[in-house]
């Protein structure tokens, strides 16, 4: 878990410095001028993102090749923002974002059936360093990107503000960070999250001084969620929640009252090996007569063979508890609640943007993943990565099945420049009997579900 909240898409920028001393114009009726005329040097950084996809998906909703649910589409997202630093203690971050599907013609569609493009304020937060005169204390307030991920370049196990591919990829709230000592950070945070829910908690990161080729990172967190979403999938033939345009609908049942989550994670690097593990226990009241009693975790190993870039092999095991009995009868809900997770190891079962068939379940998933990666140059700019995942439910379905399915993915990536990456990818998922039992639609089956796509990402 990284307590320092990442600034989205900030790789590099264009900085401008302007002396705002006595030469600044005074305010008039037509030109307000600076609000405070204190002499200082202002630094402005321009940053942004252009992200484009071309995607083909087949049998996504049913796993049935006899059902016409193929979908091919393009998507574009553009972000443009600025970081303004009026002095060394204060900075303000503002980012606007635009997203739409390729060929968007909403303006010419009076029915409104086509997905419209949208423009949003994605980030709007202020950051304070040396707050109240303490050089080890920092504060962030406003709309900010949040991702508590144990490992860099991996999705968060519990909380990620870009989960579920939202229009606004940030949460409104604040976080206070205190650097207690070298390598030890403490953070307190509170956010308003989608669906009128709230999240508050305390977290700590400990990163001891590196000893030779060995590094350790340990993280812990305690959180409290209120008005917890309890998500369900509406079947296509559900008269209360009919689907639209062949798409499954995810609906919210009555919100849970209070959910406490106790989390701990650790990453240990020794030479060419990277070991990691994280887990969480959940307690609280879903309703007056139903308790939360879930748990979840993952553990794995990556081996960087020959060099950190040349060849990588890895394995990982995931476990999210599920509920076999009716909580209304037992008074206990054992399903692991992870509404805001950002895990995207595979494109079809897990990916927040391209798939996530795991949404058909409430927790209730086990996985074995095997990974391999190969670099074609000594600078790690051209890579081929592969992953295989076998999934099964933690609890048997009503028909007594646990085999959810298996997926294999390939990704070819080319880092054209430091800020530009091109990807080509393909994924195939073979559903199992448990998938057929829980998938929406009148005729789910076990035919191949596939995803083919390309992505261009330019960050500046």
């Amino acid at each position: 878990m990284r307590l320092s909240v990442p600034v989205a898409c900030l790789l590099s920028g264009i900085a401008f410095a302007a002396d705002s001393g006595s030469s600044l114009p005074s305010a008039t009726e037509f030109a307000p001028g600076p609000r405070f005329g204190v002499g200082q040097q202002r630094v402005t950084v321009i940053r942004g993102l252009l992200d484009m996809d071309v995607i083909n998906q087949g049998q996504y909703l049913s796993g049935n090749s006899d059902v016409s649910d193929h979908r091919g589409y393009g998507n574009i997202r553009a972000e443009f923002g600025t970081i303004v630093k009026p002095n060394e203690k204060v900075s303000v971050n503002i980012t606007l974002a635009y997203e739409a599907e390729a060929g968007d013609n909403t303006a010419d569609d009076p029915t409104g059936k086509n997905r419209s493009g949208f423009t949003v304020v994605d980030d709007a937060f202020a950051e304070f360093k040396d707050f109240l005169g303490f050089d080890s204390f920092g504060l962030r307030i406003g709309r900010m990107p949040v991702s508590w991920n144990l490992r860099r370049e991996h999705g968060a196990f519990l909380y990620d503000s870009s989960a579920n591919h939202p229009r606004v990829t940030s949460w409104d709230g604040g976080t206070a960070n205190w650097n207690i000592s070298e390598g030890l950070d403490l953070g307190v945070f509170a956010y308003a999250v989608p669906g009128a829910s709230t999240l508050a908690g305390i977290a700590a990161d400990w990163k001891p001084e590196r000893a030779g080729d060995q590094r350790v990172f340990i993280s812990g967190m305690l959180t409290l969620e209120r008005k917890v979403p309890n998500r369900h999938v509406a079947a296509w033939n559900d008269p209360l929640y009919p689907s639209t345009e062949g798409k499954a609908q995810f609906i919210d049942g009555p919100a849970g009252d209070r959910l406490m989550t106790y989390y701990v994670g650790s990453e240990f690097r020794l030479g060419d090996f990277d070991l990691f593990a994280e887990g969480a226990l959940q307690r609280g009241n879903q309703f007056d007569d139903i308790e939360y009693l879930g748990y979840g975790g993952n553990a794995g190993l990556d081996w960087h063979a020959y060099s950190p870039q040349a060849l990588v092999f890895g394995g990982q095991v995931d476990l999210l508890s599920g509920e076999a009995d009716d909580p209304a009868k037992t008074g206990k809900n054992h399903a692991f609640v992870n509404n805001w997770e950002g895990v995207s190891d595979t494109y079809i079962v897990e990916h927040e943007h391209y798939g996530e068939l795991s949404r058909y379940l409430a927790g209730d998933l086990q996985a074995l993943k095997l990974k391999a990666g190969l670099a074609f140059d000594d600078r790690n700019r051209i890579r081929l990565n592969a992953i295989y995942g076998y999934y099964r439910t933690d609890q048997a379905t009503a028909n007594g099945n646990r085999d959810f399915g298996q997926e294999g993915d390939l990704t070819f990536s080319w880092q054209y420049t430091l800020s530009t990456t091109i990807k080509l990818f393909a994924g195939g998922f073979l559903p199992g009997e448990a998938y057929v039992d829980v998938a929406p639609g009148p005729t789910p089956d076990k035919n191949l579900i596939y995803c083919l796509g390309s992505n261009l990402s330019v960050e500046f």
Side-chain angles (χ1 to χ4, degrees):
M1 173 183 54
R2 313 291 176 180
L3 277 179
S4 56
V5 181
V7 178
C9 313
L10 177 56
L11 290 183
S12 60
I14 305 172
F16 303 92
D19 185 356
S20 56
S22 58
S23 61
L24 286 173
S26 59
T28 68
E29 179 182 358
F30 302 103
R35 188 171 181 180
F36 300 103
V38 180
Q40 60 189 15
Q41 191 172 64
R42 175 177 301 173
V43 176
T44 302
V45 178
I46 302 299
R47 59 190 176 89
L49 164 74
L50 178 63
D51 190 88
M52 296 184 290
D53 291 303
V54 176
I55 306 295
N56 272 282
Q57 298 171 331
Q59 284 79 255
Y60 249 65
L61 300 180
S62 64
N64 189 337
S65 58
D66 293 330
V67 175
S68 180
D69 59 359
H70 171 270
R71 186 179 182 223
Y73 67 98
N75 195 80
I76 182 171
R77 184 177 179 93
E79 297 180 6
F80 188 79
T82 182
I83 302 175
V84 179
K85 299 180 180 180
N87 54 56
E88 71 271 5
K89 292 187 177 182
V90 180
S91 63
V92 177
N93 298 253
I94 305 291
T95 302
L96 300 179
Y98 172 78
E99 184 167 343
E101 287 193 5
D104 171 46
N105 61 346
T106 307
D108 301 324
D109 179 19
T111 66
K113 290 185 178 180
N114 291 310
R115 180 185 178 193
S116 61
F118 57 84
T119 302
V120 295
V121 177
D122 205 39
D123 300 334
F125 67 94
E127 183 173 8
F128 303 89
K129 298 180 180 179
D130 303 338
F131 191 66
L132 299 178
F134 297 96
D135 57 4
S136 61
F137 192 76
L139 183 67
R140 290 181 178 181
I141 301 176
R143 174 171 292 182
M144 67 193 76
V146 179
S147 181
W148 276 288
N149 54 318
L150 179 70
R151 294 177 294 154
R152 298 187 186 277
E153 300 181 357
H154 287 78
F157 175 64
L158 280 175
Y159 302 116
D160 190 327
S161 61
S162 62
N164 305 319
H165 190 51
R167 294 185 173 187
V168 178
T169 62
S170 296
W171 287 346
D172 298 337
T175 178
N177 294 328
W178 179 26
N179 180 231
I180 297 176
S181 63
E182 186 67 28
L184 180 60
D185 295 310
L186 181 68
V188 179
F189 54 89
Y191 297 103
V193 295
S197 304
T198 59
L199 170 68
I202 183 170
D205 287 346
W206 181 44
K207 190 175 182 179
E209 185 176 353
R210 179 173 178 175
D213 58 357
Q214 141 180 339
R215 287 177 289 174
V216 179
F217 178 70
I218 299 175
S219 183
M221 178 167 52
L222 169 63
T223 63
L224 169 64
E225 291 183 67
R226 293 283 192 178
K227 296 185 178 180
V228 184
N230 293 294
R231 307 206 74 183
H232 304 280
V233 180
W236 286 1
N237 58 355
D238 189 332
L240 296 179
Y241 304 100
S243 63
T244 58
E245 299 181 358
K247 298 180 182 179
Q249 285 194 354
F250 295 90
I251 60 172
D252 291 336
D257 178 47
R258 175 175 58 87
L259 175 65
M260 299 287 297
T261 300
Y262 307 85
Y263 166 92
V264 64
S266 178
E267 182 183 26
F268 180 77
R269 295 186 180 182
L270 178 60
D272 295 333
F273 293 92
D274 182 6
L275 296 87
F276 55 90
E278 54 188 336
L281 293 175
Q282 294 184 327
R283 298 293 184 268
N285 294 326
Q286 182 174 355
F287 306 116
D288 290 339
D289 55 349
I290 299 178
E291 295 180 82
Y292 285 115
L293 292 172
Y295 60 88
N298 65 73
L301 167 70
D302 288 342
W303 174 36
H304 299 264
Y306 305 112
S307 74
Q309 295 86 15
L311 192 60
V312 178
F313 297 101
Q316 179 177 333
V317 176
D318 300 349
L319 173 60
L320 306 179
S321 64
E323 179 54 74
D325 301 315
D326 184 357
K329 296 179 180 179
T330 64
K332 303 180 187 299
N333 183 357
H334 293 279
F336 188 70
V337 179
N338 57 341
N339 293 305
W340 318 118
E341 55 82 20
V343 177
S344 300
D345 293 333
T346 57
Y347 288 117
I348 298 175
V349 175
E350 298 180 343
H351 203 284
E352 296 291 334
H353 187 22
Y354 302 124
E356 204 170 13
L357 300 186
S358 59
R359 288 192 191 181
Y360 296 162
L361 302 167
D364 199 19
L365 192 64
Q366 299 177 357
L368 171 64
K369 302 171 187 175
L370 302 176
K371 299 170 286 185
L374 173 65
F376 292 95
D377 67 323
D378 56 1
R379 297 174 61 184
N380 197 32
R381 295 180 306 171
I382 303 175
R383 290 194 63 86
L384 180 65
N385 292 320
I387 183 169
Y388 165 81
Y390 171 70
Y391 298 91
R392 69 176 190 170
T393 59
D394 180 59
Q395 300 293 326
T397 65
N399 294 329
N401 298 311
R402 296 185 61 188
D403 179 16
F404 191 75
Q406 50 189 324
E407 178 175 349
D409 297 343
L410 285 174
T411 304
F412 176 80
S413 60
W414 177 23
Q415 188 177 23
Y416 182 68
T417 68
L418 287 176
S419 61
T420 304
T421 302
I422 301 170
K423 291 183 180 180
L424 301 174
F425 55 88
F429 174 66
L430 287 174
E433 294 291 347
Y435 169 86
V436 175
D437 293 340
V438 302
T443 57
D445 207 340
K446 296 190 295 180
N447 300 137
L448 177 69
I449 297 173
Y450 65 87
C451 176
L452 304 172
S454 60
N455 173 264
L456 169 64
S457 179
V458 182
E459 298 177 322
F460 59 90

